[in-house]
Amino acid sequence: MILPIYLYGHPVLRKTARDISPDYPNLNVLLENMFETMYQAEGIGLAAPQIGLEDRILVIDLNPFKKEDPGCENFKKVFINAHIVERDGEENGMEEGCLSIPNIHEKVLRFNRIRIQYLDENLQPHDEVYEGYRARVIQHEYDHLDGILFVDRISGLRKQMIRSRLTKISNGIVHCSYKVKRF
Ligand code: NI
């Protein structure tokens, strides 16, 4: 089922998401819906707050980037109760966008390397290190779990330049090819 994606300005995008318990109801259905919602919006990642849930759940599929980065091939993953425990390496700048902030792309600095602890879709624990593009996307999606959006990480000047467009989005004035929840 395709779910509406919550837009910039909705308070749920500013909440700190909670770990889920092992008896979380219909987890598989939720994960399926999250992937379906992400694919129809042509996204590569989606965090639960973007569909209105305050749960620490992320889905990511980087297959569209396999040509640019071989590490992205078959990188289709679920991160539950995700916690980044280390960030290091050089900080690199790269343009990012977000399904909750349509039509805006800005350069964001991110650490090149992260270590993340999480549960997979079968609730099995993992402790893994990622670098490069995978680390970037995980950090972007992970930020959603802490109520942080990529526009919080751009320079004050750039933020000023897009301020009126952000205000429009939070007022529901935005053109979007996918189903959204306007606040
Ligand atoms: Ni995003």
Side-chain angles (χ1 to χ4, degrees):
M1 188 171 67
I2 292 166
L3 307 166
I5 293 174
Y6 285 52
L7 289 183
Y8 181 89
H10 197 289
V12 74
L13 296 175
R14 293 307 192 178
K15 297 278 173 63
T16 302
R18 300 165 300 238
D19 281 347
I20 66 163
S21 66
D23 58 354
Y24 191 90
N26 303 318
L27 180 61
N28 287 340
V29 176
L30 173 65
L31 296 175
E32 252 176 61
N33 291 344
M34 285 180 73
F35 275 114
E36 196 182 346
T37 299
M38 179 185 84
Y39 290 137
Q40 68 93 34
E42 294 181 8
I44 51 171
L46 188 72
Q50 293 181 277
I51 51 158
L53 299 176
E54 294 172 43
D55 299 320
R56 295 190 85 80
I57 302 174
L58 310 173
V59 300
I60 294 176
D61 188 343
L62 296 181
N63 268 295
F65 288 91
K66 65 184 175 192
K67 275 196 191 126
E68 289 88 341
D69 179 350
C72 290
E73 186 156 17
N74 301 322
F75 189 94
K76 179 182 175 182
K77 286 178 81 75
V78 169
F79 295 85
I80 295 168
N81 296 352
H83 294 278
I84 291 179
V85 293
E86 286 172 33
R87 304 169 193 251
D88 54 42
E90 224 176 298
E91 275 195 287
N92 299 315
M94 196 173 167
E95 280 220 336
E96 293 187 11
C98 179
L99 295 177
S100 294
I101 312 176
N103 313 322
I104 292 182
H105 295 87
E106 291 290 332
K107 197 170 176 178
V108 182
L109 283 177
R110 302 266 186 204
F111 286 105
N112 187 50
R113 183 182 168 279
I114 57 147
R115 181 176 157 213
I116 186 168
Q117 295 172 345
Y118 66 98
L119 308 177
D120 63 21
E121 58 274 34
N122 301 312
L123 301 180
Q124 294 306 300
H126 297 267
D127 185 336
E128 291 166 355
V129 171
Y130 290 104
E131 291 185 15
Y133 195 64
R134 287 171 294 173
R136 169 172 299 275
V137 176
I138 292 169
Q139 285 174 90
H140 174 115
E141 298 309 329
Y142 183 85
D143 268 354
H144 280 294
L145 304 181
D146 289 334
I148 300 167
L149 302 169
F150 82 92
V151 292
D152 302 333
R153 297 193 180 277
I154 64 178
S155 73
L157 182 66
R158 290 302 311 168
K159 182 116 192 212
Q160 240 178 308
M161 292 182 76
I162 61 168
R163 190 174 303 278
S164 66
R165 291 162 70 198
L166 289 174
T167 304
K168 277 188 183 161
I169 295 173
S170 55
N171 289 330
I173 306 163
V174 64
H175 175 76
C176 213
S177 61
Y178 45 90
K179 191 156 84 170
V180 293
K181 168 103 175 158
R182 295 166 208 270
F183 175 51

